[in-house]
């Protein structure tokens, strides 16, 4: 039972890295004429994810973690509705969505590195902490959007940062996973 859960977690982590990498490549080659479509798709994806999380909450045993996921689902639903309905500032919406994602991913990476990578007994676990902190810094830079005035430049920078984030996620999985005992 435990090994099935770990295998499910490992396959989910690999799939998330692949999705991040593909999405980063799409953002790099994406023409800026279709930015409104991209934001509508992102808003729709956020709504779908929030609906799935809400249905998971309804079918759960309602523990504390389930309520945390319900809160995340409601925030994602609000962000998705905002992205779909308000067409005011495309740069601002993209900066908020992807900057927030990178902040959450970086904080998750720091916690994951300190809790799991350090305990896995591997040398150099602190490198994962530094990479996760760099994700937090990149998320703050994209969140504040100081240098990108055009949509194409912002999409390219977000694409490259998402590629970096997928690399960090893959390295985190390799670093933590107990490959030696398998």
């Amino acid at each position: 039972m435990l090994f099935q859960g770990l295998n499910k977690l490992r396959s989910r982590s690999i799939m998330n890295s692949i999705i991040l990498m593909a999405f980063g490549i799409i953002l790099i080659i994406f023409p800026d004429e279709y930015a409104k479509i991209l934001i509508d798709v992102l808003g729709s994806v956020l709504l779908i994810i929030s609906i799935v999380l809400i249905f998971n909450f309804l079918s759960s045993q309602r523990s504390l973690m389930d309520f945390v996921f319900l809160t995340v689902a409601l925030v994602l639903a609000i962000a998705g509705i905002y992205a779909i309905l308000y067409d005011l500032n495309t740069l601002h919406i993209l900066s908020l969505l992807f900057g927030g994602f990178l902040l959450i991913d970086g904080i998750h990476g720091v916690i994951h590195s300190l809790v799991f990578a350090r305990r896995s007994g591997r040398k150099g676990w602190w490198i994962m902490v530094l990479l996760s902190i760099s994700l937090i810094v990149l998320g703050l830079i994209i969140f504040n959007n100081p240098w990108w005035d055009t949509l194409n430049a912002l999409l390219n920078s977000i694409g490259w940062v998402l590629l970096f984030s997928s690399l960090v996620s893959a390295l985190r999985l390799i670093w933590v996973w107990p490959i030696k005992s398998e």
Side-chain angles (χ1 to χ4, degrees):
M1 181 84 163
L2 176 67
F3 291 115
Q4 290 173 348
L6 288 175
N7 285 333
K8 186 177 178 181
L9 180 67
R10 180 174 57 176
S11 63
R12 187 181 308 155
S13 296
I14 292 170
M15 186 56 78
N16 286 339
S17 293
I18 291 171
I19 289 172
L20 279 178
M21 190 178 305
F23 197 64
I25 291 171
I26 287 171
L27 284 178
I28 290 171
I29 62 174
F30 200 76
D32 54 346
E33 295 90 30
Y34 300 109
K36 174 63 177 137
I37 296 171
L38 174 70
I39 291 177
D40 288 342
V41 168
L42 287 175
S44 301
V45 167
L46 288 176
L47 282 175
I48 291 170
I49 291 171
S50 68
I51 289 170
V52 168
L53 288 174
I54 289 170
F55 282 146
N56 283 342
F57 173 77
L58 293 175
S59 66
S60 69
Q61 298 174 356
R62 292 184 179 61
S63 65
L64 177 63
M65 200 62 193
D66 294 326
F67 283 103
V68 170
F69 283 132
L70 177 66
T71 305
V72 169
L74 294 175
V75 169
L76 288 177
I78 291 170
I81 291 170
Y82 181 79
I84 291 172
L85 292 182
Y86 296 106
D87 193 26
L88 300 175
N89 192 353
T90 307
L91 289 172
H92 183 67
I93 292 172
L94 286 175
S95 297
L96 289 178
L97 288 176
F98 287 106
F101 168 74
L102 288 171
L103 284 174
I104 292 170
D105 190 32
I107 291 170
H108 172 263
V110 168
I111 293 170
H112 198 267
S113 298
L114 290 176
V115 171
F116 296 116
R118 184 174 58 168
R119 292 184 184 172
S120 69
R122 301 207 182 218
K123 296 179 181 179
W125 60 269
W126 53 272
I127 295 173
M128 289 307 303
V129 174
L130 291 177
L131 289 173
S132 297
I133 290 173
S134 68
L135 280 179
I136 293 172
V137 169
L138 289 172
L140 286 173
I141 289 172
I142 289 179
F143 196 77
N144 291 328
N145 193 14
W147 296 296
W148 301 287
D149 294 336
T150 65
L151 187 61
N152 195 18
L154 180 65
L155 289 178
N156 282 331
S157 63
I158 289 173
W160 286 109
V161 171
L162 283 179
L163 284 175
F164 178 70
S165 176
S166 68
L167 176 71
V168 170
S169 296
L171 287 175
R172 187 183 315 130
L173 179 69
I174 291 169
W175 223 292
V176 172
W177 199 259
I179 298 172
K180 295 177 184 175
S181 65
E182 290 184 344

